Amino acid sequence: MLPLIRTRTVGRLLAVPATATALAAFAASSAHADTTAADTGWTVDLSVDADDVNVVNDGTALRLRSAQAGPASLEGAEASGQLVAAPKDFSEPVNRVRAEVAGRTGGVAVEVRGHLGGTAWSEWLPAGSVLPQAVTRVQARITLTGKAAPSVRSVRLTADRVGGPSSRIAAAPLTYRVYATREGLVGGTTANGHVITDRDHFVALPSRRGLSPINTGTYSVRVCKTDGSLCEYAPVWDVGPWNTRDDYWNAARQMWTDLPRGKPEAQAAYQDGYNGGKDEFGRTVANPAGIDLADGTFWDGLKLTNNAWVNVTYLWTGTGAKGVVGTGGGTLNVRAAASTSAAIKGLAANRANVIIECSVRGQSVTGTYGTTDVWNRIGSGHYISDAYTYTGSDDPIAPAC
């Protein structure tokens, strides 16, 4: 274990996290509903709270609040809203959650994810799917889509454990070269309910399977210029561009299953005339974008001046120790070495979940989580101070570099 220099009144394990970032991470890993035995059903609470977006419960059903609102990145192509239920804990591991939906009208999707430990969760999968591994905590999400008054009266879930092969998460996260466009749309609302600010820092991907709940970075990416000179670590907060069911980074993708893994449908439509050159909504695809970048990520993190090809690493697709960047707002410089005088290699956005490959001793820094000389390597030649990384521990959580 690395020697540690840190001053604080109480350690991380006992302290209430001081920032919204830490609160989100703490809630994701520590919030408990009633513990339930496997094979026992429960009814989802459909009352609306702060982490839900564009839905309302009128006393009889969950409905869209506005049939004109949807993910900002889609620019009006789809009306949608979602309710994120409280996590549910079990006394024994489960790997499947089935749904019984009553009073369904229009587009209603029930999806589930499993807690993999720490700040890590599986992707959102349709209810009834086998999760990547057995877990003791799950969370459900109900998504309403379409302008034809989608609604649902009740959702009852049942968890169990079934046999069959497990698709465990790989050690190294996936990386693909895709075309990035600038999202802009300041003042708009993203798919998870975030209101876009000037020079904001987040990304949009064309599938809800990797959409982080508001004020969390459960699903985050590392997006880099193709020469590797600059990168940003940023949370996935919106859905788009072009499509909503194109999880092109997955082997078993939702749609467009005949396309090669790693190739967005929009790229195939634009370059090859795939699907008649159209997206899932029938719009003519005007560029091959597989990711949208908020203005701050585009201009400040990567210092782009035009849409460009980038290398995107989907950080949740890999295992390893993870931490949450906590700046209390704004961004954190990513350094080439464990010192604030080392070259800047990019930015890490507040709330981004990063993989901590290893840790080193370096310059002592005072930050959100105290004073420490520990720095975390979050990518090749990429270092951030542990003083700005919420890990749930006062000690390094990764081996020495």
Side-chain angles (χ1 to χ4, degrees):
M1 180 179 296
L2 292 169
L4 177 68
I5 302 171
R6 186 187 299 279
T7 58
R8 64 177 75 240
T9 54
V10 286
R12 293 192 195 195
L13 292 176
L14 299 179
V16 175
T19 67
T21 302
L23 286 169
F26 191 81
S29 61
S30 303
H32 289 268
D34 292 334
T35 299
T36 304
D39 234 355
T40 299
W42 74 101
T43 300
V44 177
D45 181 359
L46 297 184
S47 57
V48 176
D49 56 27
D51 63 357
D52 305 323
V53 55
N54 195 36
V55 289
V56 61
N57 192 319
D58 62 6
T60 60
L62 184 73
R63 308 178 189 277
L64 285 183
R65 182 179 294 276
S66 169
Q68 307 305 315
S73 183
L74 294 179
E75 299 188 89
E78 178 186 71
S80 67
Q82 67 179 27
L83 180 144
V84 181
K88 187 73 173 179
D89 291 338
F90 299 94
S91 57
E92 55 189 79
V94 301
N95 67 354
R96 182 178 66 173
V97 178
R98 292 167 292 168
E100 299 174 53
V101 181
R104 180 204 307 254
T105 62
V108 177
V110 180
E111 296 157 304
V112 177
R113 64 178 184 169
H115 184 228
L116 306 177
T119 62
W121 291 79
S122 71
E123 286 190 358
W124 297 99
L125 296 173
S129 303
V130 178
L131 296 171
Q133 65 189 62
V135 298
T136 56
R137 181 178 304 152
V138 301
Q139 188 170 33
R141 181 179 70 182
I142 294 91
T143 302
L144 308 181
T145 57
K147 298 183 179 181
S151 66
V152 58
R153 188 174 68 248
S154 70
V155 176
R156 184 165 178 79
L157 302 176
T158 304
D160 60 8
R161 187 168 183 174
V162 295
S166 175
S167 55
R168 288 186 176 273
I169 297 175
L174 298 166
T175 299
Y176 292 107
R177 180 176 179 268
V178 299
Y179 194 71
T181 47
R182 182 176 71 85
E183 178 159 345
L185 304 173
V186 173
T189 301
T190 67
N192 75 352
H194 171 71
V195 177
I196 301 172
T197 61
D198 187 45
R199 296 188 105 90
D200 217 335
H201 290 266
F202 67 87
V203 305
L205 292 177
S207 169
R208 288 186 173 86
R209 288 190 172 178
L211 177 65
S212 300
I214 193 168
N215 294 327
T216 76
T218 311
Y219 309 102
S220 294
V221 300
R222 177 175 61 232
V223 55
C224 302
K225 300 178 79 166
T226 53
D227 63 3
S229 59
L230 288 172
C231 299
E232 178 163 321
Y233 296 76
V236 182
W237 281 355
D238 207 3
V239 174
W242 300 112
N243 293 306
T244 68
R245 292 182 289 171
D246 186 27
D247 53 328
Y248 56 82
W249 54 89
N250 283 327
R253 54 204 282 178
Q254 288 174 278
M255 291 184 67
W256 328 115
T257 56
D258 55 331
L259 288 176
R261 187 178 190 181
K263 186 169 189 175
E265 190 275 341
Q267 181 181 338
Y270 183 80
Q271 294 178 335
D272 310 323
Y274 180 84
N275 194 41
K278 309 287 187 180
D279 68 3
E280 71 178 85
F281 302 105
R283 301 179 296 178
T284 298
V285 175
N287 58 55
I291 189 171
D292 253 352
L293 309 181
D295 286 354
T297 304
F298 188 94
W299 285 325
D300 304 324
L302 301 187
K303 299 192 183 303
L304 296 175
T305 56
N306 293 297
N307 298 336
W309 293 94
V310 296
N311 292 325
V312 180
T313 301
Y314 310 83
L315 296 171
W316 69 92
T317 65
T319 58
K322 290 184 171 66
V324 181
V325 176
T327 64
T331 55
L332 180 66
N333 288 326
V334 176
R335 301 284 181 173
S339 169
T340 58
S341 62
I344 295 174
K345 303 298 291 182
L347 299 174
N350 192 31
R351 302 186 178 94
N353 281 29
V354 296
I355 296 175
I356 301 175
E357 298 176 345
C358 58
S359 298
V360 299
R361 289 182 63 190
Q363 179 184 352
S364 183
V365 172
T366 299
T368 308
Y369 304 114
T371 299
T372 179
D373 66 348
V374 172
W375 287 67
N376 298 314
R377 193 180 79 191
I378 59 175
S380 179
H382 290 176
Y383 295 84
I384 60 174
S385 171
D386 198 55
Y388 290 98
T389 315
Y390 180 78
T391 63
S393 173
D394 277 343
D395 298 319
I397 63 171
C401 295

